């Protein structure tokens, strides 16, 4: 009996040892530090985050607000994913200079390519400012009043926070608004493209392999940060010099084996781990199916057009990738939630919560939380789906409708006067130019034809022949002149006349209703978070991802998604050759890589078994935004580059399950092999610090 108890304890400890979690780097001392050590780490909390001395965090940069990147040399060389740098690679590409197909390698500083608008932000310091932010915020206030006081307090804190003139700061809510942290930041704006493999390496397997294991993608690209003469952030200038960060990551040539400790350090975007069952039900049964259908219809048209025409393929590469990526993720998310019986399990958990609330005499404060969620989500359902559908048509899939949304916003801004109008016009023109840079009206019209009937019964294809907006010059001509003339011309445009009532409905009906209910849901979610921590104080709680710097850790591990199937955690170059389909747009392999494989010319990058490792799996809890995040070994060296999750585990944004949720990383030895042996960019290898931590 005693033994059984011990065994049970052991089993629960084993499970909690891999529970996931995205932790705040400044708060690792104690539980996280201990847990990391138990998983094999040799790092202290201070090695990871320190404000007085350099630490790992000084090498981790938020890449353009959406991905993660890390410094890997004393000269500001940085690594991120190929798919994170893809729009920059594309923007430098043309049919003559096709860097997507052929790759790009700057052979010296002079050849590195500047990227307007691209930025990388580092975290200087993190501080708990909860009490200052919530000063004066009482339960008597309405949600709106609370928020405006929080905004006011935050503005004061930002203004008075101690920081240098070249630094910025921001405040973010954690635990659904129960806690607030201040981030002092440094944002670099002169970021130049240094290298990218051909897409047949950087996106090997494309959509078929996306979100899938086993994986063989060399998903990396390289940039360099430039700073002014004082090593401070600066706008692009030819006089800028390579940035010297307080820390850069050494790279391990010893790689990883199963059960090795790994830490992933980056900027996860958004998770929702504390949703009630009713919300998960709505997302997976109503919202996801609807948006999946919109994208599927678009992709059918787009994929076909891209296959048939090379120019279209280059033009739509980035747009298509963006649409396809979430489309496939949502399908996997739904499968995972269903297969793991997540909703029923959540309901059982909620019954337990409800009982404890009663037992602890907390019914007055928390007794109605769950039933209130049920009521609110029921009310929310149709407007939630409608709003998502609007986004799919007017912000994601159809480009003419995207332009119409923009010009609508411009007309709206005119109500605030000429200054507001002119400012919005500038943004609108930039956006329309952006769309037209890679626009194919025939393709867009086919997309419209495919998706508009799913949005409304009012479909009119003839607008494509009658509008000015399918042609950039004609569109710009409408936007020239005084506001009243612009609006007069605009309101005669057939596409605008058609789209305006839809956008009107969105702004006057759908969105206000959505905002009203989501505000109530958020307030309830805040109370629920607090209640969970109070009613079940022994559980582990980590704040949902919110695009702030986080640490997640685990071990290299395979997984068993189905009966009798077990996936090994490491793939090799041999697997690329197994998947090779000559001339295929997803699975072609460059001749040079085939030659290197035939010669087994792997140099110092081979694994101990003589093979060249490509990708590996870990139990690190990651999400979108963690793309490009470094996978760091027990000693603080770079061993991998995070870029994806496994299909069965994409539900981890709502329901992390240590059994089947895995993140996918590209092995740094493959990255170095491509730079060195494939591209011959030895000078880049020389800048790095290569180490042998395993002796
Ligand atoms: N699924 C990964 C992520 O969410 C990789 C996306 C890029 N790769 C691709 N084949 N589209 O962003
Ligand atoms: N590919 C994702 C990104 O772009 C990371 C994978 C994930 O969602 O876990 O951030």
């Amino acid at each position: 009996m005693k033994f059984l108890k011990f065994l049970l304890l052991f089993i629960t400890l084993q499970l909690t040892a891999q529970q996931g979690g995205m932790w705040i780097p400044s708060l690792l001392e104690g539980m996280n530090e201990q847990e990391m050590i138990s998983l094999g780490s040799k790092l202290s909390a201070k090695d990871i985050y320190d404000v007085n001395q350099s630490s790992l965090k000084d090498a981790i940069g938020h890449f353009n607000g959406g991905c993660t990147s890390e410094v890997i040399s004393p000269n500001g060389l940085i690594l991120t994913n190929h798919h994170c740098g893809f729009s920059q690679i594309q923007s430098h590409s043309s049919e003559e200079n096709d860097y997507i197909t052929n790759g790009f390698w700057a052979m010296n500083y002079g050849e590195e390519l500047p990227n307007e608008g691209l930025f990388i932000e580092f975290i200087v310091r993190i501080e708990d400012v909860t009490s200052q932010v919530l000063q004066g915020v009482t339960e008597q206030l309405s949600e709106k009043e609370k928020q405006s006081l929080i905004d006011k307090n935050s503005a004061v804190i930002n203004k008075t926070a101690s920081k240098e003139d070249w630094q910025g700061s921001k405040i973010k809510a954690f635990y659904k608004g129960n806690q607030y942290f201040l981030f002092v930041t440094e944002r670099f704006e002169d970021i130049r493209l240094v290298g990218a493999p051909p897409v047949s390496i950087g996106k090997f397997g494309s959509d078929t392999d996306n979100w899938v294991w086993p994986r063989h993608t060399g998903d990396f690209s390289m940039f360099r940060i430039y700073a002014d003469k004082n090593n401070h952030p600066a706008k692009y200038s030819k006089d800028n010099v390579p940035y010297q960060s307080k820390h850069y990551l050494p790279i391990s040539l010893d790689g990883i084996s199963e059960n090795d400790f790994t830490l992933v350090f980056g900027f996860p975007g958004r998770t929702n781990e504390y949703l009630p069952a009713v919300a998960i039900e709505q997302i997976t049964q109503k919202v996801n199916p609807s948006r999946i259908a919109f994208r599927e219809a678009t992709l059918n048209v787009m994929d076909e057009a891209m296959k048939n025409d090379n120019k279209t393929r280059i033009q739509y590469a980035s747009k298509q990738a963006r649409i396809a990526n979430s489309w496939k993720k949502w399908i996997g998310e739904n499968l995972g939630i269903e297969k793991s019986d997540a909703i029923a399990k959540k309901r059982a958990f909620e019954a337990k919560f409800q009982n404890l609330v009663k037992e602890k005499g907390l019914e007055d404060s928390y007794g109605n939380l769950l039933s209130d969620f049920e009521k609110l989500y029921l009310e929310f359902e149709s407007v939630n789906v409608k709003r998502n559908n609007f986004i799919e048509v007017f912000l994601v899939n159809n480009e003419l409708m995207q332009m119409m949304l923009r010009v609508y916003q411009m007309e709206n801004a005119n109500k605030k006067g000429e200054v507001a109008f002119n400012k919005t016009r500038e943004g609108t023109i930039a956006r329309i130019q952006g769309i037209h840079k890679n626009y194919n009206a025939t393709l867009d019209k086919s997309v419209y034809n495919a998706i508009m009937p799913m949005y409304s019964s009012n479909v009119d294809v003839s607008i494509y022949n009658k509008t000015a907006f399918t042609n950039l010059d004609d569109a710009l001509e409408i936007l020239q002149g005084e506001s009243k003339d612009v609006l007069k011309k605009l309101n005669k445009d057939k596409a605008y006349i058609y789209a305006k009532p839809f956008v009107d409905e969105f702004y006057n009906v759908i969105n206000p209703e959505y905002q009203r209910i989501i505000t109530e849901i958020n307030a309830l979610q805040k109370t629920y978070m607090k209640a969970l921590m109070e009613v079940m104080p022994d559980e582990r709680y980590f704040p949902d991802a919110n695009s702030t710097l986080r640490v997640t850790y685990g071990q290299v591990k395979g997984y068993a998604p189905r009966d009798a199937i077990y996936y090994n955690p490491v793939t090799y170059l041999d697997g690329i050759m197994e998947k090779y389909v000559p001339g295929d747009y997803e699975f072609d392999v460059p001749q040079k890589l085939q030659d290197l494989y035939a010669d087994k010319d792997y140099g110092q990058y081979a694994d101990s078994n003589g093979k060249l490792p490509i990708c590996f799996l870990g139990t690190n809890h990651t999400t979108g935004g963690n793309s490009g995040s470094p996978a760091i070994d027990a000693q603080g060296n770079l061993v991998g580059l995070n870029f994806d999750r496994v299909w069965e585990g994409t539900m981890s944004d709502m329901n992390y399950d240590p059994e089947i949720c895995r993140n996918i990383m590209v092995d740094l030895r493959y990255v170095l092999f491509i730079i060195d042996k494939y591209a011959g960019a030895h000078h880049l290898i020389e800048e790095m610090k290569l180490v042998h931590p395993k002796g």
Side-chain angles (χ1 to χ4, degrees), residues 97-200:
N97 264 331
D98 186 351
Y99 300 142
I100 298 179
T101 304
N102 305 319
F104 168 80
W105 303 95
M107 287 300 164
N108 51 55
Y109 288 165
E111 287 179 10
E112 297 174 358
L113 301 172
N115 300 283
E116 217 191 308
L118 179 61
F119 65 90
I120 293 180
E121 194 169 89
F122 293 90
I123 303 302
V124 178
R125 189 173 88 237
I126 306 173
E127 238 174 76
D128 188 334
V129 290
T130 311
S131 60
Q132 296 100 296
V133 171
L134 293 179
Q135 189 146 37
V137 177
T138 60
E139 282 317 306
Q140 280 74 345
L141 301 180
S142 72
E143 288 310 313
K144 219 172 152 182
E145 290 165 336
K146 282 184 200 167
Q147 195 52 53
S148 87
L149 190 52
I150 287 170
D151 293 344
K152 228 164 87 191
N153 289 343
S154 302
V156 174
I157 300 166
N158 269 320
K159 216 169 149 192
T160 53
S162 85
K163 56 179 183 247
E164 310 291 345
D165 353 313
W166 64 86
Q167 298 175 334
S169 70
K170 55 184 151 198
I171 291 167
K172 292 269 201 162
F174 288 70
Y175 294 109
K176 309 294 173 198
N178 287 292
Q179 211 172 355
Y180 287 84
F181 285 88
L182 169 79
F183 295 82
V184 175
T185 58
E186 268 178 22
R187 177 189 284 221
F188 291 83
E189 294 179 294
D190 185 351
I191 313 294
R192 304 184 197 169
L193 179 63
V194 173
V199 70
S200 53

Side-chain angles (χ1 to χ4, degrees), residues 66-67 81 83-84 211 325 329 622-627 642-645:
C67 280
N81 288 146
H83 78 262
C84 294
W211 302 109
N325 192 41
K329 186 200 139 176
T622 54
T623 189
N626 271 124
S627 272
N642 183 74
F643 71 98
D644 211 356
R645 279 173 286 166

Side-chain angles (χ1 to χ4, degrees), residues 322-335:
R322 171 168 167 244
I323 294 169
N325 192 41
S326 301
W327 163 75
K328 193 161 179 187
K329 186 200 139 176
W330 292 325
I331 297 173
E333 187 170 83
N334 272 11
L335 285 174

Side-chain angles (χ1 to χ4, degrees), residues 74-107:
N75 310 317
L77 186 62
I78 68 142
L79 203 53
T80 188
N81 288 146
H82 186 267
H83 78 262
C84 294
F86 193 68
S87 65
Q88 283 75 32
I89 300 166
Q90 181 189 15
S91 78
H92 295 295
S93 293
S94 58
E95 280 184 274
E96 304 78 62
N97 264 331
D98 186 351
Y99 300 142
I100 298 179
T101 304
N102 305 319
F104 168 80
W105 303 95
M107 287 300 164

Side-chain angles (χ1 to χ4, degrees), residues 352-369:
K352 186 174 134 200
F353 168 82
Q354 196 68 26
N355 277 335
L356 282 170
V357 167
K358 196 168 167 193
E359 252 171 53
K360 299 193 170 186
L362 293 167
E363 277 181 301
D364 283 351
S365 322
Y366 304 135
N368 295 330
L369 271 175

